Amino acid sequence: MNFRPAIKFCSQCGSATEQAIPSDGDTRLRAMCTGCGMVHYQNPLNVVGCIPVTDDGRILLCKRNIEPRWGKWTLPAGFMELDETTSQGAARETDEEAGADIEMGRLFSVISVPRVAQVHLFYCARLRSETLNPGYETIEARLFQPADIPWDELAFRTVSITLQRYLEDRAAGSIQVHNIDLT
Ligand SMILES: [Zn+2]
């Protein structure tokens, strides 16, 4: 399966790579440098985000101003950076996409999406203020009553599943942690 373009050149020495199985007991084809021998492993990426909720239960969604899924609604989320923890990344994305003042809560969902080699993690979050200041990645940031969530206009399946499970838990009076495999 090709999730991402194959690595063609070595990031260490710039030589061409070739697809080969490293001789250390590995079983998969890797991009191996024909010059220095460096093995370029490719592994899933983490997407981190949160479910920002006002004290009266409204949920913050952002209308995407970027591809993919331009114009669709999402929970604030994005790729984790190298120098941060998962919850720090979720907080940063929420600041960048919505300019929202949140108090980060606990982990809510971990969703594996092997088809695109990603793991999505969403945290619970409390919105401290209704003042929003969306950045360039967001056309509009808005608070939705659960009944008004635009289910048909959500950007990603991981977002709709997380919202669905969150609202079910809330209705049942107990917020759980959800480990989901989207295969
Ligand atoms: Zn090399």
Side-chain angles (χ1 to χ4, degrees):
M1 281 189 277
N2 277 323
F3 313 116
R4 297 179 203 126
I7 294 169
K8 293 201 176 76
F9 296 98
C10 178
S11 60
Q12 295 298 302
C13 75
S15 301
T17 64
E18 62 180 9
Q19 290 289 317
I21 298 174
S23 56
D24 60 357
D26 201 344
T27 55
R28 291 180 183 237
L29 286 170
R30 312 283 183 186
M32 293 181 68
C33 179
T34 54
C36 73
M38 180 170 168
V39 183
H40 296 76
Y41 295 96
Q42 287 186 288
N43 300 98
L45 296 174
N46 292 319
V47 172
V48 291
C50 69
I51 317 164
V53 182
T54 59
D55 287 341
D56 66 0
R58 285 168 296 155
I59 298 169
L60 171 67
L61 295 178
C62 298
K63 195 172 199 175
R64 289 171 63 81
N65 193 29
I66 48 172
E67 295 293 351
R69 317 286 162 84
W70 183 92
K72 300 290 187 189
W73 292 91
T74 183
L75 289 165
F79 289 108
M80 186 180 179
E81 297 288 359
L82 295 179
D83 58 354
E84 63 191 9
T85 67
T86 49
S87 64
Q88 283 169 348
R92 176 184 49 73
E93 289 290 343
T94 305
D95 181 45
E96 286 174 7
E97 295 182 5
D101 179 17
I102 59 160
E103 179 188 321
M104 192 60 71
R106 65 169 180 74
L107 183 64
F108 179 75
S109 60
V110 177
I111 309 178
S112 290
V113 198
R115 190 177 57 80
V116 290
Q118 294 176 0
V119 180
H120 292 210
L121 300 99
F122 288 93
Y123 284 79
C124 296
R126 177 179 161 257
L127 261 177
R128 290 200 195 98
S129 159
E130 295 190 16
T131 305
L132 305 171
N133 181 22
Y136 76 97
E137 291 179 22
T138 302
I139 297 167
E140 180 189 357
R142 199 199 292 179
L143 298 169
F144 286 88
Q145 296 284 356
D148 298 330
I149 288 174
W151 295 103
D152 296 337
E153 295 293 312
L154 295 179
F156 304 106
R157 211 172 141 213
T158 55
V159 168
S160 54
I161 286 175
T162 294
L163 281 170
Q164 235 167 28
R165 297 287 176 96
Y166 173 75
L167 291 172
E168 282 168 13
D169 280 8
R170 211 162 82 174
S174 167
I175 304 293
Q176 306 290 319
V177 180
H178 298 266
N179 185 3
I180 299 157
D181 296 334
L182 276 189
T183 50

